[in-house]
Amino acid sequence: MSRTGQYAKGVAKREEILEVALEIIAREGYHGLTIRHLADTVGLSKTGLLHYFGSKEDLFVEVLRRRDAVPRDVVARGGSEHFMETLMAALRQNMEAAGLIQLYVRFSAEATDPGHPAHEYFAERYRRLQDSGSDAMQALSADGRLAPSVDPGKLTVLLAALLDGMQLRSLFSPELDVAGHVEHFMHLMGLHAEHDSSKSE
């Protein structure tokens, strides 16, 4: 097999491992995923599995990156015009997997240590959220969809903190309507879903 073929095969296997890891954590919880369990499921030895990621912690970081990817794409496609609708859809999708929330909450606390494998992931994630979120909030403000007193940059920080806090709270209160509470907060900031504003016209 050529080097190109070997590389493509390796990439495909890595993707398979990540997809299976996501499924196991979503189905069985954060503690349901062991390297042995995952390796057996994807047909590798423990050593073979760690060849792709280096350590269990590095694997978990990549799982979190994959978890972020789909909701981020959903929100990006919606743009500022449908911000509320796409944000709520992405949030509800994320909240369906309690095991992934457990992983996110645990690592977000541990990663405050600069030496933690997930530290750079979270630092970069907050930078990205601030940049993209501020742009979206600026657009909403320019469209007159935010209350005049709301600072778009500060609202972005508050929204990110609210989303993190609500994920933690949901682990203690699984019945909590996280998306509904976030939507209520955004209403307080003057932003309403598109269908709400159309009803008021």
Side-chain angles (χ1 to χ4, degrees):
M1 183 182 294
S2 67
R3 288 186 178 180
T4 301
Q6 289 177 334
Y7 176 78
K9 184 178 180 180
V11 170
K13 192 64 178 181
R14 191 175 189 275
E15 290 297 304
E16 178 192 353
I17 294 168
L18 283 175
E19 287 298 326
V20 172
L22 274 167
E23 292 171 4
I24 292 175
I25 295 174
R27 183 177 64 249
E28 302 178 23
Y30 164 66
H31 296 291
L33 181 69
T34 65
I35 293 298
R36 170 59 66 191
H37 180 17
L38 180 58
D40 289 345
T41 304
V42 298
L44 293 172
S45 65
K46 290 174 64 176
T47 302
L49 177 67
L50 291 176
H51 167 74
Y52 289 93
F53 296 97
S55 70
K56 185 177 182 179
E57 288 74 20
D58 290 335
L59 168 64
F60 280 147
V61 171
E62 293 308 312
V63 167
L64 289 173
R65 291 188 195 279
R66 178 59 59 86
R67 173 189 184 249
D68 282 349
V70 174
R72 185 169 67 243
D73 290 344
V74 169
V75 174
R77 287 196 301 270
S80 61
E81 183 180 355
H82 303 289
F83 178 80
M84 279 289 287
E85 291 82 355
T86 53
L87 175 63
M88 292 303 105
L91 181 55
R92 288 190 171 95
Q93 180 177 332
N94 259 355
M95 298 308 298
E96 291 176 357
L100 292 171
I101 296 173
Q102 291 172 348
L103 172 61
Y104 178 87
V105 168
R106 176 165 182 166
F107 265 40
S108 65
E110 294 178 353
T112 55
D113 178 355
H116 192 278
H119 179 80
E120 184 53 37
Y121 158 76
F122 280 99
E124 189 275 332
R125 184 177 190 273
Y126 285 126
R127 287 193 295 267
R128 186 183 68 247
L129 286 174
Q130 188 62 34
D131 290 343
S132 61
S134 291
D135 288 344
M137 296 304 169
Q138 290 282 2
L140 291 170
S141 182
D143 289 342
R145 296 185 63 198
L146 290 178
S149 60
V150 173
D151 181 292
K154 291 180 179 178
L155 176 57
T156 303
V157 174
L158 290 171
L159 180 58
L162 176 63
L163 292 171
D164 279 2
M166 291 301 290
Q167 288 186 87
L168 172 60
R169 175 65 186 275
S170 74
L171 296 176
F172 292 95
S173 306
E175 75 286 354
L176 193 67
D177 179 10
V178 170
H181 282 75
V182 172
E183 188 170 22
H184 179 69
F185 170 76
M186 295 304 292
H187 285 181
L188 294 176
M189 298 298 103
L191 180 63
H192 295 265
E194 188 181 51
H195 60 78
D196 289 341
S197 61
S198 64
K199 286 180 181 180
S200 64
E201 292 177 354

